[in-house]
Amino acid sequence: MGKELMTIGELAKRMGVTVRTLQYYDKEGILKPSAFSAGGRRLYAAKDVVRLHQILSFKYLGFSLEEIKNHILPLDTPEQMVSLLIQQQKAIEEQIENLQEAAQSIEAFRSEVENIKSVDFKKYAEIIELLKMGNDAYWVWKCFDDTLTDHIKDRFGDDPALAEKTYQAYLDLLDEAYLFVQRGEPPESACSMALAEKWWNMIMDFTGGDLTLLPKLESFNDDKTGWDKELAQKQQEIDDFMNKMLDCYFKKQGMDIPEMEVES
């Protein structure tokens, strides 16, 4: 064996990798030994050290072995390398953003686990699923009772986009009602009647027309424990106005006022 050649064990020790890693690189064709001993042992030359250094360097930058083998090492020009590095930088920045979101979700989930005060894996799974969807309204889910959460799964389980749309409609109408209260809009005005119609339609979209859910929603609204603080404050300030506005709306429409009291 020439002095310029080294065994797989010597190369592994020199470069801080395992023998198994070098065997895998050989199998995948990314780093083949330059020679074999009479006994069939892999032997590596100085050029192999250079190539291994290149492989490990690009792995450090987040490239996969397939990318290194098929896209990086065959490159011919600096411009090609720059283009590839720009793509990799964008991919890493996206990974960082995803990890930051995951960290925020963990923090949110930890807070909810502390608030629940008991081990409830069913509720845990439901909260995690909402966090995975990037749903900022998961606080609603944890505040709902089993009747409402079961309804959500039945009505929106196959169409999360509809759930998002309904929740966004609530946020938009809440802001509109809050502005009405701030400017002293009469609950019986034409503007208020238009808002009442949109609000009632939003409720019907959520319930699917099941009026037996109204007492549950009323109870959810009465007890704002666990609500998002900003939304709880806004909703608290419009509750009286909304009740009067909806009463006027139902009377103008000739509709019976829905029974909203929770049964004992």
Side-chain angles (χ1 to χ4, degrees), residues 19-264:
V19 169
R20 181 170 294 183
T21 294
L22 295 178
Q23 291 172 337
Y24 180 75
Y25 288 176
D26 181 10
K27 177 184 176 182
E28 295 299 313
I30 192 170
L31 180 64
K32 291 287 187 182
S34 291
F36 290 89
S37 69
R41 300 175 65 189
R42 296 176 177 86
L43 300 175
Y44 295 88
K47 67 181 181 65
D48 300 321
V49 177
V50 173
R51 186 175 179 88
L52 178 56
H53 188 269
Q54 294 169 344
I55 294 169
L56 297 177
S57 297
F58 284 110
K59 277 195 65 182
Y60 171 77
L61 295 179
F63 290 100
S64 67
L65 288 178
E66 181 180 357
E67 290 171 327
I68 295 171
K69 175 184 176 182
N70 298 322
H71 301 295
I72 295 178
L73 296 180
L75 291 178
D76 296 321
T77 67
E79 289 78 15
Q80 291 175 325
M81 177 59 73
V82 168
S83 176
L84 196 63
L85 289 174
I86 290 175
Q87 294 177 30
Q88 182 66 2
Q89 181 179 2
K90 291 180 179 179
I92 290 176
E93 289 172 349
E94 183 176 344
Q95 291 174 13
I96 292 173
E97 182 177 348
N98 290 338
L99 288 173
Q100 288 175 334
E101 291 178 358
Q104 292 171 357
S105 294
I106 290 173
E107 174 64 19
F109 181 56
R110 181 190 63 78
S111 176
E112 298 309 331
V113 170
E114 292 174 345
N115 290 334
I116 291 173
K117 302 295 185 181
S118 63
V119 176
D120 186 342
F121 285 104
K122 178 177 179 290
K123 185 70 71 174
Y124 292 168
E126 292 166 350
I127 292 173
I128 291 172
E129 187 61 29
L130 287 170
L131 291 172
K132 282 169 58 181
M133 293 167 56
N135 192 334
D136 293 331
Y138 74 92
W139 65 268
V140 178
W141 182 272
K142 70 183 180 66
C143 291
F144 277 173
D145 64 10
D146 289 341
T147 299
L148 290 174
T149 55
D150 287 344
H151 168 74
I152 289 177
K153 285 184 286 187
D154 291 339
R155 178 152 177 75
F156 303 106
D158 295 329
D159 192 358
L162 178 59
E164 291 282 352
K165 181 180 179 181
T166 303
Y167 180 66
Q168 187 58 52
Y170 163 71
L171 296 179
D172 293 341
L173 294 176
L174 175 63
D175 286 341
E176 187 174 350
Y178 185 75
L179 289 175
F180 279 22
V181 171
Q182 295 300 304
R183 75 187 189 197
E185 185 74 30
E188 69 277 6
S189 72
C191 291
S192 294
M193 291 302 94
L195 174 60
E197 182 176 12
K198 290 185 289 186
W199 189 277
W200 184 243
N201 287 338
M202 179 265 296
I203 293 176
M204 290 298 97
D205 286 341
F206 174 79
T207 62
D210 183 358
L211 299 185
T212 65
L213 294 174
L214 294 182
K216 295 290 186 180
L217 290 174
E218 183 74 1
S219 179
F220 163 70
N221 184 59
D222 288 343
D223 181 7
K224 295 180 174 61
T225 304
W227 276 49
D228 174 271
K229 291 183 179 179
E230 181 181 352
L231 296 183
Q233 181 181 353
K234 283 187 176 181
Q235 184 66 50
Q236 186 70 43
E237 292 194 33
I238 72 166
D239 276 345
D240 184 62
F241 169 79
M242 293 298 296
N243 287 333
K244 294 177 180 178
M245 181 188 73
L246 288 172
D247 283 349
C248 291
Y249 173 73
F250 294 138
K251 290 175 181 178
K252 285 181 178 291
Q253 297 297 316
M255 299 168 55
D256 292 331
I257 299 175
E259 178 61 49
M260 300 292 282
E261 293 183 0
V262 181
E263 297 178 1
S264 58

